[in-house]
Amino acid sequence: MQSAFTLGIEEEYLLVDRDTLDLAVAPQSLMEACKAELESQVSPEFLQCQIEVGTRVCADIGEARDDLRRLRSEVSRHAAQHNLAPIAVSCHPFADWKTQHHTPRERYDDLRQALGGVARRMLICGMHVHVGVEDKMLRVDLMPQLSYFLPHLLALSTSSPFWQGEDTGLASYRLTVFDNLPRTGLPPTFDSWAAYERATGALIDLGLIEDTSKIWWDLRPSHQFPTLETRIMDVQPRLEHTLALAALIQALIRMFCRLRDRNLHWRIYQRFLIGENRWRAQRYGITEGLIDFGEKAIKPFPDLLDELVALLEADIEALGVADEIATLRDIVATGTSATRQRAVRAAAQAAGGDPDKAVVQHLIDEFQADL
């Protein structure tokens, strides 16, 4: 079994005006200041109101915590100098996508041209977790196994219940928007790295995409790094929740590698069935449970998490992520960001305040609390 399971975490933030709490364009001077401080670890995103950060390659969750806290702190500090604040949430509660503009950059100009009107609605943010897997064939072998747990990760991460001032009834509306793009959703199953390269190479050879960075599955081999990149999750307002999800992915991949060394394999289920759980996670988050296909029953999420933690006991210990996994239990007990946002909105309405702005202020406060 490979001995190291390195981590990398990418997060996308929205920038809001501290007075109006509406979205704000990132000034060029803000991006320049962040670049001077953080170099390649910070970049603009598709929309001018977004900013993206990415950790270095981290040996363990402790390194990831230190680096991500530094990134969040520096972005927040530089934004404050422009009366702006970052929020780590997958949809702004009341902003109108029709008033947003994409960042004038060749990559984003090309995306806007290729995707047409679909691209304009991309007022969403996500988080991506990379785990180092050096062997290419192993990456392909792990994808259908980890795919089974993608709905679990989505359910735990849900942070986008609102869209343009309305409660969508979904825990993750972000995924509804993102799924309008081509080459998204659950990944296909490949029986070899060569099969993966043939499939993706067909689009590259036709000139439809320049490389595999334009394939936006929920889980994919990274185009840039020797990693598996998990992309299904909503971004987290709380730093510790980001780290808990990253630790869970790291532990899952270690478990699959451990099983492989014993000539064992997690059962592969049809994408159609996993897709049903994906929808349940998108719609309900952790509140209504997911399907256990082995037992042919819908199980409450606390039971699912208990069973999963038991399966991962050896991996949690080996990776030293017991505290982070305990944070997942707190999420299940108290709710995801979607739950908290709805509670804040309801309280503001009851008190006669502005419910939309109350939610944004809540998101600013949660981001700041972990710095």
Side-chain angles (χ1 to χ4, degrees), residues 10 45-46 49 86 114 129 139 174 176 185 187 194 204 227 242 248 253 272 274-275 296 299 304 322 333 335:
E10 299 167 345
E45 247 299 324
F46 179 68
C49 58
V129 174
R139 278 176 241 161
R174 161 188 156 265
T176 302
I204 294 170
T227 65
T242 298
L248 178 57
I253 289 179
F272 167 74
I274 298 172
K296 298 181 180 178
K299 281 192 171 180
L304 292 172

Side-chain angles (χ1 to χ4, degrees), residues 5 12 68 94 109 171 182 200 204 263 283 286 299 315 364:
F5 296 86
E12 298 162 350
L68 192 56
F94 65 84
D109 291 344
T200 56
I204 294 170
N263 203 29
R283 172 67 175 86
I286 58 175
K299 281 192 171 180
D315 310 288
I364 293 173

Side-chain angles (χ1 to χ4, degrees), residues 306-348:
D306 286 344
E307 292 175 2
L308 182 54
V309 171
L311 281 171
L312 296 173
E313 183 177 1
D315 310 288
I316 292 167
E317 181 178 357
L319 294 168
V321 295
D323 289 345
E324 287 72 27
I325 299 303
T327 297
L328 295 177
R329 294 190 186 279
D330 290 340
I331 293 174
V332 171
T334 62
T336 66
S337 173
T339 307
R340 296 194 302 277
Q341 289 178 55
R342 285 186 167 123
V344 168
R345 195 171 196 267

Side-chain angles (χ1 to χ4, degrees), residues 37-249:
E37 187 85 26
L38 303 172
E39 299 178 334
S40 62
Q41 288 188 267
V42 65
S43 63
E45 247 299 324
F46 179 68
L47 294 177
Q48 293 177 347
C49 58
Q50 293 175 301
I51 189 168
E52 180 179 12
V53 301
T55 68
R56 303 183 180 102
V57 178
C58 299
D60 54 36
I61 203 69
E63 282 190 18
R65 173 179 286 104
D66 292 343
D67 202 23
L68 192 56
R69 179 178 285 119
R70 179 180 65 89
L71 292 170
R72 284 188 170 212
S73 296
E74 290 303 320
V75 169
S76 180
R77 181 171 68 86
H78 288 296
Q81 295 173 5
H82 298 269
N83 198 42
L84 303 178
I87 56 174
V89 66
S90 281
C91 292
H92 187 280
F94 65 84
D96 186 348
W97 60 266
K98 293 185 291 295
T99 65
Q100 306 305 315
H101 301 282
H102 79 278
T103 301
R105 194 177 180 184
E106 183 177 1
R107 171 181 172 82
Y108 300 136
D109 291 344
D110 291 345
L111 274 176
R112 177 69 178 84
Q113 176 64 29
L115 299 175
V118 172
R120 289 198 62 207
R121 297 182 68 241
M122 293 294 291
L123 184 54
I124 55 175
C125 293
M127 62 171 282
H128 307 155
V129 174
H130 294 255
V131 175
V133 180
E134 291 289 339
D135 184 85
K136 292 179 178 178
M137 184 57 213
L138 179 56
R139 278 176 241 161
V140 167
D141 187 56
L142 293 178
M143 282 173 64
Q145 299 181 73
L146 184 54
S147 289
Y148 180 84
F149 294 100
L150 292 175
H152 301 66
L153 295 166
L154 173 62
L156 287 162
S157 74
T158 49
S159 74
S160 50
F162 305 122
W163 182 253
Q164 296 195 135
E166 295 186 4
D167 190 328
T168 66
L170 276 66
S172 175
Y173 191 74
R174 161 188 156 265
L175 216 57
T176 302
V177 177
F178 195 69
D179 283 348
N180 282 282
L181 271 64
R183 304 179 294 279
T184 56
L186 295 167
T189 298
F190 301 99
D191 57 15
S192 67
W193 183 260
Y196 165 75
E197 288 191 317
R198 281 196 300 273
T200 56
L203 300 187
I204 294 170
D205 292 344
L206 287 167
L208 301 177
I209 57 175
E210 66 266 27
D211 54 50
T212 56
S213 69
K214 294 293 177 60
I215 293 172
W216 299 302
W217 298 325
D218 297 339
L219 171 68
R220 69 181 184 185
S222 170
H223 166 71
Q224 189 174 1
F225 307 109
T227 65
L228 268 183
E229 180 186 2
T230 306
R231 303 168 47 84
I232 196 170
M233 295 163 292
D234 279 5
V235 69
Q236 298 301 287
R238 296 181 179 177
L239 171 66
E240 289 302 325
H241 291 179
T242 298
L243 296 164
L245 290 162
L248 178 57
I249 295 167

